[in-house]
Amino acid sequence: MAIQKLKSFIAKKFNSLSNDRLFGDIFKGSLLVFVTKVGATAIGLVTSVIVARWYGAEVVGIVALISSYLSIIALPAILGTDTSVLRLIPEQIAKYSYLSAFNLYKKARYLVILLSLVIGIILAFFSGFISEKVFKEPDLTYFFMAASLLLVFRSLQQFSNQGLRAVNKINAFAYIQVLMPVMNLVLLVILTYFFYDFYNPVYIQLFLFVFIAVIGLIIINKAFKEKIEEQDITENVTYKTILGISLPMFLTSSMLVIIGQLATIMVGMFRSAEDVGYYAIALRISTLTTFVLLAINTVVAPKFSALFNEGKIDDLFYVARKSTKLIFWSVLPLILIFVFFGKWIIVLLYG
């Protein structure tokens, strides 16, 4: 009887949220992103188990170090434009047209490409210093050099993903999130079985940055061009305007990324790559609690911008309250599971 009541309550809440005039699309979009995030993480966990058991904690640590390194150096390369387009693109669409928004997006993208190339080439020259002096891992010089030169693809991948959110292409955004771990797992299984090399997981990660960036660029260009019409009016948004809005975003997003990645970097600076691997595995498990927050934020951020620019402040606060309640009640059970069973989950998966 209790189970039946619980099912009835969940079904009632689901229908209520789905049919909500303002929140329905946000709820359904968030649910899709959440499901793909869970799927991507499940695949990622399988991949990390394979890497840990077939390649060892050291390679897990190297992959984590390269990923954190790229996340940090991508900050000045993107310069907050990935966040600012979430505001500027919906604003351009609401006030002018998709063509105006696309022109703005291209300008911001050119800026990202230029900064990424300059920063990447400079850091490539210092890859030996970074690997030997900063991380005490001279054998990783080649990988830090390759990562620096591929920074432009890492930056474009992140920038294009936010562009998809800005034009409300949530389905495409969600599927791209799951594409990378799927490709990672498939390539890892093939290379491990047929062409085993100790550094296969690192090679795969670097290749996927290029592959996913290209896919993202194709999708975002198509998304804009499908909406552009001949009679579209445009506004010329200058680089100065883009930078003026992006730089404050850069400061706030930098703090979030640094807080998220600095621990991995510091472990890499003072401990071995193997210790980084142990830490990365524990961190991967713990971040599962952020999925609902990330899923809802993915959909709701451009919605906030659109409602604000349309002057619908009451609707904006309504959506904010609904989103906050959904995040809290969805995350609470997962937190309790990790508090009481976290140790056994890690031991079961990784030994």
Side-chain angles (χ1 to χ4, degrees):
M1 181 66 73
I3 295 177
Q4 188 64 34
K5 286 184 178 180
L6 179 61
K7 288 182 178 179
S8 177
F9 173 77
I10 293 174
K12 184 177 178 181
K13 291 298 293 182
F14 181 88
N15 290 330
S16 174
L17 291 170
S18 298
N19 296 323
D20 190 292
R21 179 180 64 85
L22 288 172
F23 195 69
D25 290 340
I26 293 173
F27 175 70
K28 286 181 279 191
S30 300
L31 187 62
L32 174 63
V33 174
F34 176 75
V35 170
T36 54
K37 276 278 186 185
V38 170
T41 301
I43 297 168
L45 287 174
V46 173
T47 303
S48 63
V49 169
I50 293 174
V51 175
R53 294 184 179 272
W54 287 89
Y55 294 87
E58 181 182 354
V59 176
V60 176
I62 294 171
V63 171
L65 270 181
I66 296 298
S67 179
S68 294
Y69 170 72
L70 277 169
S71 295
I72 296 292
I73 66 174
L75 289 172
I78 300 173
L79 209 64
T81 54
D82 60 328
T83 307
S84 64
V85 294
L86 288 175
R87 174 203 151 176
L88 291 172
I89 288 178
E91 180 181 338
Q92 289 293 307
I93 293 172
K95 292 182 177 179
Y96 302 101
S97 65
Y98 273 91
L99 178 58
S100 186
F102 189 39
N103 290 338
L104 179 146
Y105 169 79
K106 287 189 293 184
K107 280 190 174 182
R109 187 168 66 189
Y110 296 149
L111 191 62
V112 170
I113 292 172
L114 176 62
L115 290 172
S116 298
L117 289 174
V118 172
I119 293 170
I121 291 171
I122 292 172
L123 289 175
F125 281 108
F126 290 94
S127 55
F129 175 83
I130 294 169
S131 59
E132 293 177 27
K133 303 299 182 182
V134 179
F135 294 107
K136 310 296 189 297
E137 297 282 353
D139 293 340
L140 302 184
T141 299
Y142 167 79
F143 292 120
F144 282 109
M145 180 183 293
S148 299
L149 294 175
L150 294 177
L151 172 62
V152 63
F153 294 101
R154 169 64 177 78
S155 301
L156 285 174
Q157 175 196 341
Q158 182 174 333
F159 181 73
S160 297
N161 284 346
Q162 303 313 309
L164 288 172
R165 290 175 61 192
V167 295
N168 205 31
K169 288 289 183 180
I170 302 303
N171 289 2
F173 174 85
Y175 295 141
I176 284 180
Q177 302 309 298
V178 80
L179 177 61
M180 188 164 184
V182 168
M183 290 286 295
N184 195 3
L185 179 59
V186 170
L187 291 174
L188 182 65
V189 171
I190 293 173
L191 292 182
T192 300
Y193 189 79
F194 294 104
F195 309 99
Y196 183 87
D197 182 280
F198 185 67
Y199 293 114
N200 273 343
V202 187
Y203 299 140
I204 292 170
Q205 183 190 47
L206 294 175
F207 165 75
L208 286 177
F209 283 133
V210 179
F211 179 78
I212 299 298
V214 173
I215 295 296
L217 288 173
I218 293 172
I219 293 175
I220 188 67
N221 283 345
K222 183 179 179 183
F224 272 114
K225 290 176 180 178
E226 286 176 348
K227 299 286 187 177
I228 292 175
E229 299 177 356
E230 289 184 7
Q231 66 272 24
D232 280 354
I233 57 174
T234 61
E235 181 199 29
N236 181 31
V237 181
T238 64
Y239 283 103
K240 182 179 179 181
T241 301
I242 295 173
L243 287 172
I245 296 172
S246 298
L247 286 175
M249 305 291 186
F250 162 67
L251 296 175
T252 55
S253 61
S254 294
M255 291 301 102
L256 292 174
V257 173
I258 289 172
I259 290 170
Q261 302 295 335
L262 188 58
T264 301
I265 295 292
M266 291 185 68
V267 173
M269 291 171 63
F270 297 107
R271 304 299 293 267
S272 67
E274 185 176 358
D275 289 334
V276 177
Y278 295 138
Y279 177 78
I281 287 170
L283 186 64
R284 180 184 290 271
I285 297 293
S286 68
T287 52
L288 292 173
T289 57
T290 65
F291 280 6
V292 175
L293 174 64
L294 293 173
I296 293 175
N297 281 349
T298 296
V299 184
V300 82
K303 185 70 172 179
F304 283 163
S305 177
L307 289 173
F308 179 81
N309 283 293
E310 292 169 6
K312 300 177 180 178
I313 305 302
D314 290 339
D315 291 348
L316 189 154
F317 278 106
Y318 175 82
V319 170
R321 285 193 295 269
K322 279 276 190 178
S323 303
T324 305
K325 289 179 182 178
L326 182 60
I327 290 169
F328 176 79
W329 290 112
S330 301
V331 170
L332 184 61
L334 195 58
I335 291 176
L336 294 176
I337 290 172
F338 284 123
V339 167
F340 293 106
F341 304 105
K343 177 181 177 181
W344 288 273
I345 291 172
I346 292 178
V347 171
L348 177 65
L349 289 174
Y350 296 95

